[in-house]
């Protein structure tokens, strides 16, 4: 009888716009060891199939207000495959009532024993805030994959298949450790490669069906797969665990079909491909992801153009990627790295120059340029640092800086372009207000190359007597000073953030920083040198104190090499 009811439910769900009443929910307190139930998932194509679940017990309070139902699964291919990656979210029912979703498993287990996330925890986690479009938020590093101690073994979240199509193998190897640590299993191939189609038949996702969260589409594509747990009206819950626990988000999802299963002792997963667009994931919480059926998501257009220093036809990549405080910077890094790796060598000496442009919601586009040169790993360095301004924007929380489009022009050279600071000196050791001091710099490159640059600084009228310092430095060192101040006093407005981003120093020139050894204050993101004692006392409670006072910064002429090194020289100011 139960199988007949299940078959009728599946057939009803296959209609174009069919909707069924959501099943009753079974409280965790009613779930007892020895009970048997049925789960739903897809093993082949788009057909939802049934598997069996025998309740072994309840692991109570394994986390803050979290409990896990332990169950032994059977049926279908599970005896051979064990718990599959891609099964996350598969609903389990007892007497027709939904108890939760398959969400965790034991690594290297000989039996398909799973941890089931109680459905009440899934719904509560995703209903803490509204399912309205998300505001920008301050970001953080990728969270670690959750795990719970169960005796001497560890119960871990089932890894989410993270399909990457069009990416080079080195990209998977380079970013794999970061992704796996976050519970995402990078796989090169099919799922991300398919392009979802419009939902012209007005299909609705059903519990047990596969979905693919589409993070990037186009010439490079990324998708993450799981299973639908519960549908109530136009609301949907899936996975049974977090994606990245990013909170409110905006990620489109599509229905997916299973092409085949790959079974192994260490890693068994579903190989799937996306089909029709279905809606948008709006919540990414610790116990579930949740969203709305039929809702559309605005993606960020991304264009990469790759050129060689020696000439030849450029190579273009065009994609759309999600606007998410955690995923956007990561996806951009992977795309930049892969674009260079797929057509250029990533080992050995080399240099990469990047010109970037970001269209934002309000105001003119933000632009930045950078050159990266290294004996080994220039593309890796480029991918991380070229994406840093984008990470700052998506995590800033300022609506006017919401990214609307990104364009990167990349030039690759097979030789290093590096100049190291060899010497720095001043034209005079003593000076008075009104005098001009010339700072001379000498930079050394390969094969005995020497490059000299000079900068002039006029001592301001009224400057008090004492030592005046000139630090000749490179862009990273100068940015570290500015970035340290940025951390202690984050920008309070979009205008300050825009000034900070546009003021980032570029590595293909040196800088002369003029400063004195006297305290200054950082107030609302602005440096205030030489504060009178009375004003300093008033501002002390709302400011950060800095040990040195920056007076000026003079950029040296720009070139096509990466400048490195730092040296400080001193001039004594006389009355």
């Amino acid at each position: 009888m139960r199988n007949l009811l299940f078959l009728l439910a599946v057939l009803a769900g296959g209609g174009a716009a069919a909707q069924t009443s959501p099943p009753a929910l079974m409280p965790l307190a009613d779930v007892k060891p020895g009970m048997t139930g049925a789960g739903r998932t897809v093993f082949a194509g788009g057909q939802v199939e049934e598997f069996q679940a025998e309740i072994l017990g309840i692991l109570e309070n394994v986390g803050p207000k979290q409990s896990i139902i332990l169950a032994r699964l059977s049926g279908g291919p599970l005896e051979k495959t064990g718990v599959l990656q891609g099964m996350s979210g598969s609903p389990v029912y007892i007497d027709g009532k939904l108890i939760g979703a398959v969400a965790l498993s034991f690594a290297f287990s000989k039996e398909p024993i799973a941890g089931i996330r109680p459905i009440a925890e899934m719904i509560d986690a995703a209903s803490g805030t509204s399912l309205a479009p998300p505001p920008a938020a301050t970001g953080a590093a990728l969270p670690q994959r959750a795990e719970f101690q169960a005796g001497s073994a560890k119960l871990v979240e089932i890894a989410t298949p993270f399909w990457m199509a069009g990416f080079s193998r080195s990209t998977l190897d380079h970013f794999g450790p970061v992704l796996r640590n976050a519970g995402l299993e990078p796989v090169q191939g099919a799922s991300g490669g398919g392009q979802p189609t419009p939902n012209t038949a007005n299909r609705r996702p059903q519990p047990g069906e596969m979905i693919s969260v589409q993070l990037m589409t186009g010439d490079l594509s990324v998708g993450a797969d799981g299973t639908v747990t519960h549908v109530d009206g136009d609301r949907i819950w899936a996975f049974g665990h977090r994606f990245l626990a990013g909170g409110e988000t905006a990620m489109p999802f599509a229905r997916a079909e299973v092409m085949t299963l790959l079974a192994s002792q260490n890693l068994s997963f579903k190989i799937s491909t996306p089909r029709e667009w279905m809606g948008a994931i709006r919540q990414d919480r610790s116990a579930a992801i949740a969203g709305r059926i039929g809702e559309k998501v605005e993606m960020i257009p991304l264009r990469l153009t790759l050129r060689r220093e020696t000439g030849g036809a450029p190579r273009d990549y065009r994609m759309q990627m999600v606007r998410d405080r955690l995923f956007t910077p990561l996806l951009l890094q992977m795309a930049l790295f892969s674009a260079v790796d797929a057509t250029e060598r990533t080992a050995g000496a080399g240099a990469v120059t990047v010109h970037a442009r970001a269209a934002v919601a309000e105001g003119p586009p933000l632009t930045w340029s950078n050159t990266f040169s290294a004996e080994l790993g220039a593309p890796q360095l480029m991918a991380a640092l070229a994406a840093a301004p984008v990470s700052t924007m998506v995590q800033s929380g300022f609506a006017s800086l919401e990214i609307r489009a990104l364009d990167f022009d990349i030039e690759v050279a097979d030789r290093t372009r590096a100049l190291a600071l060899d010497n720095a000196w001043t034209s005079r050791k003593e000076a008075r207000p009104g005098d001009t001091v010339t700072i001379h710099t000498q930079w050394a490159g390969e094969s005995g190359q020497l490059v000299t640059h000079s900068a002039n600084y006029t001592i301001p009228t009224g400057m008090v007597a004492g030592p005046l310092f000139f630090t000749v430095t490179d862009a990273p060192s100068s940015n570290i000073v500015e970035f340290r101040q940025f951390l202690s006093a984050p920008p309070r407005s979009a205008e300050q953030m825009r000034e900070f981003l546009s003021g980032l120093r570029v590595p293909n020139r040196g800088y002369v920083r003029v400063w004195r050894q006297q305290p200054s204050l950082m107030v609302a993101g602005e440096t205030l040198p030489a504060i009178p004692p009375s004003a300093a006392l008033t501002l002390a409670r709302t400011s950060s104190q800095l040990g040195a006072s920056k007076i000026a910064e003079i950029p040296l002429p720009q070139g096509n090499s990466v400048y490195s090194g730092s040296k400080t020289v001193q001039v004594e100011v006389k009355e």
Side-chain angles (χ1 to χ4, degrees):
M1 181 64 179
R2 185 178 62 196
N3 290 340
L4 177 59
L5 291 174
F6 170 73
L7 178 60
L8 291 174
V10 171
L11 292 176
Q19 294 191 45
T20 58
S21 299
L25 310 181
M26 178 176 285
L28 179 63
D30 293 347
V31 180
K32 306 296 181 183
M35 285 183 166
T36 58
R40 299 176 184 175
T41 198
V42 175
F43 294 122
Q47 181 67 43
V48 178
E49 299 182 47
E50 188 177 76
F51 61 89
Q52 287 70 52
E54 176 191 354
I55 306 303
L56 302 177
I58 312 295
L59 297 177
E60 297 183 353
N61 296 320
V62 293
K65 295 187 177 181
Q66 295 183 33
S67 298
I68 298 296
I69 304 168
L70 274 185
R72 179 181 288 107
L73 309 184
S74 60
L78 295 177
E79 296 294 336
K80 177 182 178 182
T81 64
V83 180
L84 290 154
Q85 291 183 8
M87 282 188 70
S88 294
S90 298
V92 178
Y93 305 84
I94 294 179
D95 296 331
K97 296 181 179 180
L98 178 61
I99 67 169
V102 174
L104 304 101
S105 65
F106 292 98
F108 306 108
S109 174
K110 294 182 179 180
E111 294 185 86
I113 296 177
I116 297 173
R117 178 82 65 182
I119 185 59
E121 291 184 13
M122 294 179 62
I123 294 176
D124 289 345
S127 61
T129 56
S130 70
L131 296 183
T138 301
L142 296 186
Q144 291 188 353
R145 181 182 183 182
E147 58 182 36
F148 305 100
Q149 198 70 35
S152 60
K154 287 185 178 180
L155 192 62
V156 299
E157 292 176 345
I158 301 171
T160 302
F162 195 77
W163 296 95
M164 301 168 61
F167 290 85
S168 67
R169 181 67 221 181
S170 295
T171 306
L172 274 72
D173 295 339
H174 182 70
F175 291 94
V178 174
L179 295 171
R180 292 188 184 94
N181 190 54
L184 307 173
E185 183 61 41
V187 186
Q188 190 174 24
S191 181
Q195 297 297 325
T197 59
N199 189 6
T200 55
N202 197 26
R203 286 185 59 105
R204 292 176 57 83
Q206 301 297 319
E209 283 191 327
M210 288 280 293
I211 60 170
S212 180
V213 181
Q214 295 291 288
L215 304 173
M216 178 180 282
T217 62
D219 293 332
L220 302 174
S221 51
V222 178
D225 296 351
T227 302
V228 177
T229 304
H230 184 51
V231 178
D232 187 355
D234 65 348
R235 303 176 75 176
I236 183 174
W237 290 262
F239 281 30
H241 55 67
R242 90 286 188 279
F243 202 167
L244 287 181
E248 295 190 10
T249 186
M251 298 182 286
F253 72 90
R255 185 181 69 89
E257 292 186 357
V258 177
M259 299 168 61
T260 188
L261 306 178
L262 180 63
S264 71
Q265 178 72 18
N266 180 38
L267 188 69
S268 295
F269 58 90
K270 303 178 181 182
I271 299 177
S272 59
T273 186
R275 294 305 185 194
E276 309 92 359
W277 290 113
M278 285 287 172
I281 298 300
R282 287 299 190 179
Q283 297 284 335
D284 177 13
R285 302 291 176 176
S286 61
I289 63 172
R292 290 196 182 275
I293 300 168
E295 192 169 289
K296 295 183 178 180
V297 172
E298 182 183 352
M299 306 275 274
I300 300 175
L302 170 63
R303 180 174 178 267
L304 308 180
T305 302
L306 189 70
R307 310 175 193 277
R308 287 186 58 86
E309 181 189 36
T310 54
R315 176 170 293 193
D316 282 332
Y317 295 84
R318 296 177 183 270
M319 287 78 66
Q320 300 270 335
M321 68 177 176
V322 295
R323 182 181 289 107
D324 181 84
R325 64 190 183 92
L326 296 178
F327 271 120
T328 298
L330 176 63
L331 293 169
L332 178 58
Q333 286 187 53
M334 294 192 302
L336 289 169
F337 180 90
S338 184
V340 175
D341 181 65
T343 53
E344 307 291 337
R345 62 187 179 92
T346 54
V352 183
T353 299
V354 177
H355 301 286
R357 180 182 184 275
V360 294
E362 297 178 16
L366 284 165
T367 61
W368 63 96
S369 298
N370 227 327
T371 299
F372 309 91
S373 181
E375 292 294 333
L376 183 67
Q380 293 91 322
L381 182 66
M382 175 276 299
L385 296 183
V390 172
S391 177
T392 301
M393 281 187 278
V394 297
Q395 297 174 6
S396 70
F398 299 122
S400 62
L401 294 181
E402 181 179 272
I403 298 173
R404 297 299 171 85
L406 288 169
D407 195 325
F408 284 77
D409 192 287
I410 308 164
E411 182 186 83
V412 181
D414 290 337
R415 58 185 179 87
T416 58
R417 299 173 180 170
L419 292 172
L421 182 61
D422 182 61
N423 199 5
W425 66 96
T426 58
S427 60
R428 56 203 308 168
K429 297 298 182 183
E430 296 180 352
R432 287 179 168 77
D435 291 344
T436 296
V437 178
T438 301
I439 303 95
H440 300 283
T441 68
Q442 181 172 279
W443 308 79
E446 293 181 335
S447 304
Q449 178 190 14
L450 288 176
V451 176
T452 59
H453 295 303
S454 298
N456 294 322
Y457 179 75
T458 300
I459 308 295
T461 302
M463 177 173 280
V464 299
L468 179 65
F469 299 95
F470 299 89
T471 297
V472 181
T473 188
D474 52 33
S477 300
S478 184
N479 282 330
I480 285 174
V481 174
E482 298 298 327
F483 190 55
R484 184 183 299 121
Q485 296 172 354
F486 173 62
L487 287 177
S488 63
R492 304 295 179 88
S493 67
E495 290 72 22
Q496 283 188 358
M497 177 64 77
R498 182 181 281 273
E499 289 176 4
F500 169 77
L501 292 172
S502 61
L504 286 172
R505 283 64 174 166
V506 295
N508 57 345
R509 72 192 321 166
Y511 296 84
V512 179
R513 190 178 184 89
V514 186
W515 58 281
R516 303 202 82 167
Q517 193 69 49
Q518 62 186 31
S520 60
L521 294 179
M522 174 70 76
V523 181
E526 300 290 342
T527 302
L528 303 180
I531 298 292
S534 58
L537 184 62
T538 302
L539 295 171
R541 295 181 180 179
T542 58
S543 63
S544 301
Q545 185 165 336
L546 306 175
S549 178
K550 172 188 168 184
I551 298 173
E553 186 174 80
I554 308 168
L556 295 173
Q558 195 165 0
N560 63 353
S561 298
V562 175
Y563 289 70
S564 64
S566 183
K567 183 177 181 179
T568 299
V569 292
Q570 176 182 331
V571 168
E572 190 71 22
V573 177
K574 299 292 186 178
E575 294 182 352

